[in-house]
Amino acid sequence: MIIDLSLAVAGVLVTAGVVLGIVAVVGTTRPPRPPSSTIAAVGRWWRGTGRTRAERQARQTTIILAVVAGAATWLIVGWPAAGLIVAVAIPGIPWLFAAGSAETRAIARLEAVEAWTRRLADIVARGIGLQQAIVATAATAPDRIATEVIDLASRMQATGDPIYALRAFADDLNDYTADQVIAPLILHVSDRGDGLYDVLVDISRSIAAEVEMRSTVDAKRSGPRFAVRFLTGMSAVLIGIGLVSPQFLAPYQTFLGQALLIFLVAFYCALMWWVRALSLPPRRPRLLPSVDDDVVIGVRS
């Protein structure tokens, strides 16, 4: 039964590959359209949330390694469920272990945004224009957001459109609190009103208070994170035992056993995702719309 299922899946994949190859060579006469939401979501999943080229390449390498390892496990063991478990475990286990470091990095980035906001306020207080002040901060930007600030300064100088540069900067940071800093900067570009220094100082103080509060809450979430790491470690041990001891998973050799195993793994993954979500603060929606959203709306209209 398992061999027949494997042959059927292989046949479907081969047929799909032939069809895609023909379409790629022949092409299509349909006019170009904006990418669908599904394709855009797949693209974001493939690129990941990495802010540097190295981080994105590491994610893509992990995905490719997971697919190859899962396929190899399927071929060697002969179980589709075993290949699926290995393919999910390779990116999933590091993701679960990194539950605490994700919030630590987020807090560190908030500290960097607060430091950059204070520096920008100090330069603005000297009577320097906003665009020149932003360019001046690029040389001394905090390490956590240095790449984003340098890109902002480059866009300011290259495009001549400060509003676009600031909104692209907001997309790079992709954070609710960062939007609180960038929104008044966009308004200042539009109306050139007074009081920008006072606004930036007040915002920097608000961010400093938020950093202190989130650091306190983060320390109290260590219990759920330890549970995530402990359960993940035990699961990895069980997976290893199952791979080296076939008799340990002998009851799952039938088709019904494979289906049950896949169901249990899916239920376990959902449970681990839920426990990990409990160990992290809820993500607040962005204040500023994404530049990509405006592009898609403009194409559709």
Side-chain angles (χ1 to χ4, degrees):
M1 182 68 71
I2 300 300
I3 295 177
D4 293 340
L5 178 61
S6 302
L7 292 176
V9 172
V12 171
L13 293 177
V14 170
T15 304
V18 172
V19 172
L20 291 176
I22 294 174
V23 172
V25 173
V26 176
T28 177
T29 59
R30 188 174 63 181
R33 299 180 180 179
S36 64
S37 58
T38 302
I39 295 177
V42 171
R44 288 192 298 268
W45 173 80
W46 171 250
R47 292 188 300 271
T49 58
R51 293 177 173 84
T52 64
R53 182 179 179 85
E55 291 177 346
R56 292 191 292 270
Q57 287 181 341
R59 174 184 174 84
Q60 293 164 6
T61 301
T62 302
I63 294 174
I64 295 174
L65 177 62
V67 173
V68 172
T73 303
W74 183 355
L75 292 175
I76 295 173
V77 180
W79 291 9
L84 179 62
I85 292 172
V86 172
V88 172
I90 289 177
I93 291 177
W95 179 73
L96 289 173
F97 271 105
S101 59
E103 177 63 5
T104 301
R105 289 194 300 269
I107 293 174
R109 284 178 62 82
L110 276 185
E111 291 177 338
V113 171
E114 189 271 335
W116 179 78
T117 305
R118 281 190 288 106
R119 294 179 186 178
L120 183 62
D122 292 339
I123 297 175
V124 168
R126 302 172 189 170
I128 301 176
L130 176 60
Q131 296 185 49
Q132 292 77 11
I134 289 175
V135 173
T137 61
T140 58
D143 293 339
R144 291 282 182 174
I145 60 171
T147 301
E148 290 83 353
V149 174
I150 292 173
D151 290 344
L152 169 62
S154 300
R155 293 189 188 104
M156 284 280 190
Q157 295 174 310
T159 64
D161 186 352
I163 293 181
Y164 169 78
L166 288 168
R167 292 187 59 186
F169 179 53
D171 287 349
D172 291 340
L173 295 178
N174 192 26
D175 184 80
Y176 170 88
T177 304
D179 286 352
Q180 290 182 314
V181 178
I182 299 169
L185 299 181
I186 294 176
L187 292 176
H188 180 78
V189 171
S190 302
D191 59 21
R192 303 288 181 179
D194 298 329
L196 179 61
Y197 168 77
D198 295 330
V199 171
L200 291 177
V201 170
D202 291 341
I203 291 176
S204 67
R205 291 173 180 171
S206 174
I207 296 175
E210 180 179 353
V211 168
E212 182 178 359
M213 179 193 65
R214 287 180 63 168
S215 299
T216 303
V217 174
D218 183 64
K220 296 180 180 179
R221 294 179 183 267
S222 58
R225 289 172 185 165
F226 174 78
V228 170
R229 289 191 292 268
F230 176 79
L231 292 175
T232 302
M234 293 299 297
S235 302
V237 171
L238 291 176
I239 292 175
I241 293 175
L243 292 177
V244 300
S245 302
Q247 67 273 12
F248 183 75
L249 296 177
Y252 297 101
Q253 290 181 354
T254 63
F255 176 79
L256 180 60
Q258 292 281 287
L260 177 61
L261 184 59
I262 292 175
F263 171 77
L264 293 176
V265 170
F267 181 76
Y268 173 81
C269 291
L271 179 62
M272 286 294 97
W273 176 86
W274 178 62
V275 174
R276 187 183 189 274
L278 292 178
S279 68
L280 296 173
R283 183 175 177 83
R284 290 178 290 182
R286 294 273 308 277
L287 290 175
L288 298 174
S290 172
V291 174
D292 294 336
D293 292 341
D294 288 351
V295 172
V296 172
I297 293 174
V299 171
R300 290 177 178 174
S301 61

